[in-house]
Amino acid sequence: MNKLRTISIKTQVRRLRYFSRILEILEGNGLRTQLLCQRILKWSEENHKDFLHYPSQTGEIVLKKGKVKSQSFQNYFDASIKFKILNEEEGFGKITRLGRVLPTLLRLNREQTSNTYWLTAIEKNYFLYLILHSDADMFLTLQKMLIENPGKRLDFYIGNFQEFYLKRLKLKMKLVSPINRIKLNQAFQKVMRWRSPKRYCEDIVPSRLNWFLDLALLS
């Protein structure tokens, strides 16, 4: 936790279950990204009814009418690379060692859920580790906001995220080595210079709030 742990993703990346499905499909020798997209779109369509009965109906992977490419799939695919659970080589999606952990564990325990989008206990533990490993600073900033200011509207968390995030980075700089302090200070200065904090936080906050929901850490 001494290092800066943040990733940049699109706000639409909200349902963690898609990462499970991507990893299950890629567990073999990899797959062309285009074919992976088709299989995820098919899975998403087949489970649309469950999506409509999920507490938060946002973040669905779809192919918009008139489009030949699913931007929502691409957003999840790019996030998977940021999480380091897969990589892309010459148009092929390939699972990493870190990504291979989840399908292996799921084979050992075939727990079923009442809704396809609900995570099993194994998935919750895996994704919590993954998020803390890659995105702890933003995720835990939002956790602090939720604990200190429960039950607020989304606009509150978006509007105040920058302030809470800067406080976290400032405190963290006091606790780490000089080398890590330099990198944290660079991040601190970059956040200070956000030209449109609300616009930045609209990409940061909603996705992570939905991760809390998927992990059953938020009602």
Side-chain angles (χ1 to χ4, degrees):
M1 289 298 177
N2 289 340
K3 299 179 181 179
L4 179 68
R5 294 187 182 271
T6 64
I7 56 173
S8 176
I9 60 167
K10 295 297 184 181
T11 187
Q12 195 264 345
V13 180
R14 302 185 181 190
R15 299 278 73 84
L16 296 173
R17 186 63 183 85
Y18 280 116
F19 293 115
S20 296
R21 190 70 195 114
I22 289 171
L23 293 177
E24 288 171 334
I25 293 173
L26 287 180
E27 192 184 9
N29 296 320
L31 202 65
R32 284 200 175 276
T33 307
Q34 185 178 3
L35 184 55
L36 174 63
C37 177
Q38 292 173 1
R39 292 183 64 174
I40 290 296
L41 283 169
K42 181 181 178 182
W43 182 89
S44 191
E45 183 179 354
E46 291 172 346
N47 292 280
H48 180 66
K49 185 176 180 180
D50 276 354
F51 185 81
L52 293 178
H53 288 88
Y54 196 73
S56 177
Q57 296 163 24
T58 60
E60 187 178 25
I61 293 181
V62 297
L63 179 62
K64 292 185 177 180
K65 189 175 181 179
K67 300 291 184 179
V68 296
K69 181 179 179 181
S70 171
Q71 186 58 51
S72 51
F73 165 79
Q74 189 63 48
N75 291 339
Y76 277 90
F77 186 83
D78 292 343
S80 299
I81 295 174
K82 298 285 181 65
F83 276 128
K84 298 182 180 180
I85 54 177
L86 64 82
N87 53 49
E88 185 177 21
E89 297 178 11
E90 299 179 349
F92 275 82
K94 294 187 176 181
I95 196 170
T96 64
R97 289 180 63 186
L98 179 59
R100 199 174 295 278
V101 170
L102 181 60
T104 301
L105 291 175
L106 290 177
R107 282 200 306 272
L108 299 176
N109 187 339
R110 292 293 183 180
E111 179 185 348
Q112 298 295 317
T113 57
S114 58
N115 184 303
T116 311
Y117 285 89
W118 286 118
L119 301 179
T120 65
I122 286 176
E123 288 172 306
K124 289 174 187 175
N125 282 280
Y126 177 81
F127 286 123
L128 181 57
Y129 166 81
L130 199 66
I131 291 167
L132 292 177
H133 185 266
S134 301
D135 195 61
D137 287 310
M138 288 191 173
F139 190 73
L140 295 178
T141 294
L142 189 53
Q143 181 200 40
K144 184 175 179 63
M145 295 181 73
L146 291 166
I147 291 172
E148 295 184 359
N149 303 274
K152 299 290 187 180
R153 294 178 63 86
L154 177 60
D155 284 348
F156 172 87
Y157 301 110
I158 291 176
N160 291 278
F161 183 85
Q162 182 191 33
E163 177 186 347
F164 275 79
Y165 187 42
L166 286 171
K167 287 180 180 178
R168 177 178 176 82
L169 294 179
K170 190 173 183 179
L171 176 61
K172 194 168 182 176
M173 280 190 281
K174 298 177 180 179
L175 306 174
V176 300
S177 66
I179 293 177
N180 286 322
R181 191 177 304 128
I182 292 173
K183 294 180 180 179
L184 285 168
N185 185 57
Q186 291 172 344
F188 182 90
Q189 296 301 325
K190 184 177 180 180
V191 175
M192 283 283 292
R193 294 193 299 269
W194 281 354
R195 292 185 178 180
S196 178
K198 185 175 185 294
R199 177 66 187 89
Y200 276 100
C201 295
E202 284 174 347
D203 265 352
I204 295 169
V205 174
S207 54
R208 289 158 179 85
L209 277 175
N210 277 271
W211 296 350
F212 272 99
L213 177 63
D214 283 4
L215 293 170
L217 298 175
L218 181 69
S219 66

